[in-house]
Amino acid sequence: MTTVGILGGGQLARMLALSGAPLGLRFLVLDSTSDACAAQFAPLLQADYRDQAGLAEFAQRVDVATFDFENVPAESARWLAERVPVFPNPRALSVAQDRLAEKSLFRELDIPVPDFADIGSRADLDQALIRIGVPAILKTRRLGYDGKGQFRIKTLADVDAAWAALGAQAATVGLILEDFVPFQREVSVIAVRGRDGEFRTWPLTENWHESGILSASLAPATLADDLAEKAVAHARRVAEALDYVGVFALELFLKDGELLANEMAPRVHNSGHWTIEGAETSQFQNHLRAVLGLPLGSTRMLGHACMLNWIGTLPSAAGVLTNDCGHWHDYGKSSREGRKVGHATFRADSLAALSDALQRAGRALDREAQVAPVIARLGG
Ligand code: AMP
């Protein structure tokens, strides 16, 4: 009997546990809260990520450890890695946790990035703005997610407000200034690398955000083949440089025919949820196969898929359940503003059938604005 330990007990851990059941796996989830939604399907060890006694018990009860949450302290991951195999490795985790370290790595690997600068003080910010110009985005280096810990500097009149909002964090989590990219599209590569170095990607995904949170994903992204190949080559270089094992996402902006890397997520990713119904093997099962050293499954896509995120509250399930193309996911969480509480994936054999399913879903769920950009992309 193999037990996979997961640090973090959110919906990603929940979907990992669900996809691991057919493989006969057991799970143990470490989370600091008692109502972690993965605990509805896997035993929970309630402890803080820094609690050494909790980590020691976790290490004793699992055969291999992985993450649903990328902000597990790097020192906890390192401590654990001395006692049990941890994938992805703690160095990969620590690079991906830090926007400055990951952008520096991308640059070293010849992967284009938006111009950026390390910001340690207000003087650094003023200096960097002379070089990078406005508009720009000030972000925390660590612990930001879903658009949190970011301030858009549209004109120089915004600099005082940006510093008032984030300046204090220069000394704690660090800050980075990035050039604001007026991109035409956002895409992500979901990739998996096995313990033996085998590397696979799913077809590229196009993503739409609402208030900094992923709202919809479409796969395969309708992108020229050479761009898709470039995106995959970027992901492979990152995976090999970090000796990465498991699934990760590389988020890219497409601007005027060029791909610029925004960030990587060292875990299964929201923009890969469509792989559950839309691919031969889901990102969740392939992540488990990778960390366990099992053969990777085919990442071949089955037709076309669109995922819609449910943020804050769930719409009526019936609008998805009565749709022939619809697949409903309720994470078993209570409603809260900005919280990811579920998603739906629509899968169809043709672009026209997917567009039709989305139009019906938009009306039935009262989410016409959410489906509109995807339908427009599908030519509907
Ligand atoms: P992030 O947390 O870096 O993924 O940022 C959240 C969202 O903000 C991204 O998905 C983009 O829509 C937007 N964003 C982040 N960085 C930039 C940038 N340098 N230029 C333009 N938009 C950005």
Side-chain angles (χ1 to χ4, degrees):
M1 193 86 67
T2 301
T3 301
V4 178
I6 307 177
L7 294 148
Q11 68 272 13
L12 301 179
R14 178 184 169 108
M15 288 184 269
L16 281 168
L18 289 169
S19 78
L23 296 174
L25 300 172
R26 299 294 167 101
F27 291 87
L28 179 66
V29 166
L30 182 101
D31 199 286
S32 57
T33 61
S34 61
D35 63 347
C37 74
Q40 295 162 20
F41 292 97
L44 171 73
L45 176 60
Q46 195 184 342
D48 188 85
Y49 299 121
R50 293 182 192 277
D51 169 5
Q52 221 172 77
L55 288 174
E57 183 185 340
F58 183 74
Q60 214 183 21
R61 291 173 59 186
V62 305
D63 299 296
V64 60
T66 189
F67 308 91
D68 123 306
F69 178 65
E70 73 228 61
N71 290 317
V72 169
E75 56 276 23
S76 299
R78 279 194 291 270
W79 190 88
L80 208 54
E82 285 165 15
R83 288 155 181 85
V84 66
V86 174
F87 298 111
N89 69 68
R91 182 173 87 91
L93 185 76
S94 75
V95 169
Q97 280 175 349
D98 180 349
R99 292 183 190 276
L100 184 68
E102 70 186 353
K103 285 216 163 59
S104 305
L105 174 71
F106 297 159
R107 201 172 251 176
E108 258 171 56
L109 297 173
D110 275 334
I111 299 171
V113 288
D115 201 0
F116 64 91
D118 181 13
I119 305 295
S121 65
R122 173 63 198 258
D124 285 351
L125 177 60
D126 292 333
Q127 260 329 105
L129 280 165
I130 294 171
R131 181 165 62 80
I132 292 175
V134 287
I137 306 190
L138 185 63
K139 297 180 178 178
T140 57
R141 277 173 57 179
R142 298 164 194 279
L143 302 179
Y145 66 98
D146 287 346
K148 294 188 177 69
Q150 299 191 6
F151 198 104
R152 292 192 184 193
I153 301 176
K154 295 190 184 107
T155 71
L156 291 179
D158 297 330
V159 182
D160 285 341
W163 193 252
L166 296 177
Q169 296 187 61
T172 53
V173 290
L175 298 175
I176 182 173
L177 184 75
E178 292 178 14
D179 189 16
F180 180 84
V181 181
F183 54 79
Q184 285 92 36
R185 299 191 194 191
E186 288 192 82
V187 296
S188 55
V189 188
I190 309 295
V192 61
R193 186 166 177 272
R195 282 201 200 184
D196 59 358
E198 184 182 359
F199 178 82
R200 295 186 184 213
T201 57
W202 284 263
L204 230 64
T205 303
E206 179 169 1
N207 302 309
W208 288 265
H209 291 81
E210 198 48 61
S211 311
I213 307 178
L214 186 68
S215 166
S217 293
L218 172 69
T222 51
L223 220 59
D225 285 352
D226 61 323
L227 279 175
E229 276 166 28
K230 224 176 231 174
V232 170
H234 292 340
R236 182 191 283 270
R237 280 209 294 286
V238 171
E240 287 173 357
L242 294 172
D243 191 19
Y244 196 94
V245 172
V247 165
F248 68 99
L250 180 63
E251 297 180 27
L252 303 147
F253 299 137
L254 175 65
K255 181 181 163 268
D256 304 335
E258 189 185 26
L259 290 168
L260 300 166
N262 174 36
E263 64 172 346
M264 72 176 288
R267 50 171 171 75
V268 287
H269 192 252
N270 198 165
S271 68
H273 289 359
W274 63 264
T275 60
I276 297 175
E277 293 90 7
E280 199 74 59
T281 314
S282 76
Q283 62 165 348
F284 299 100
Q285 184 162 114
N286 257 350
H287 181 72
L288 294 170
R289 293 191 193 202
V291 304
L292 291 165
L294 297 171
L296 299 182
S298 163
T299 51
R300 190 173 69 87
M301 225 195 132
L302 312 169
H304 302 266
C306 171
M307 185 226 53
L308 302 176
N309 252 356
W310 309 138
I311 310 295
T313 52
L314 292 170
S316 148
V320 174
L321 297 175
T322 55
N323 190 309
D324 282 351
C325 301
H327 302 271
W328 177 252
H329 294 259
D330 173 346
Y331 302 153
K333 291 178 171 180
S334 52
S335 299
R336 195 200 301 151
E337 202 189 322
R339 192 180 209 195
K340 292 175 178 170
V341 292
H343 76 266
T345 295
F346 297 85
R347 198 210 66 77
D349 293 330
S350 70
L351 288 174
L354 181 61
S355 179
D356 180 57
L358 289 175
Q359 290 187 32
R360 277 184 281 122
R363 282 193 298 271
L365 301 164
D366 199 15
R367 301 281 173 135
E368 279 164 307
Q370 192 175 358
V371 297
V374 187
I375 291 170
R377 181 69 79 231
L378 295 171

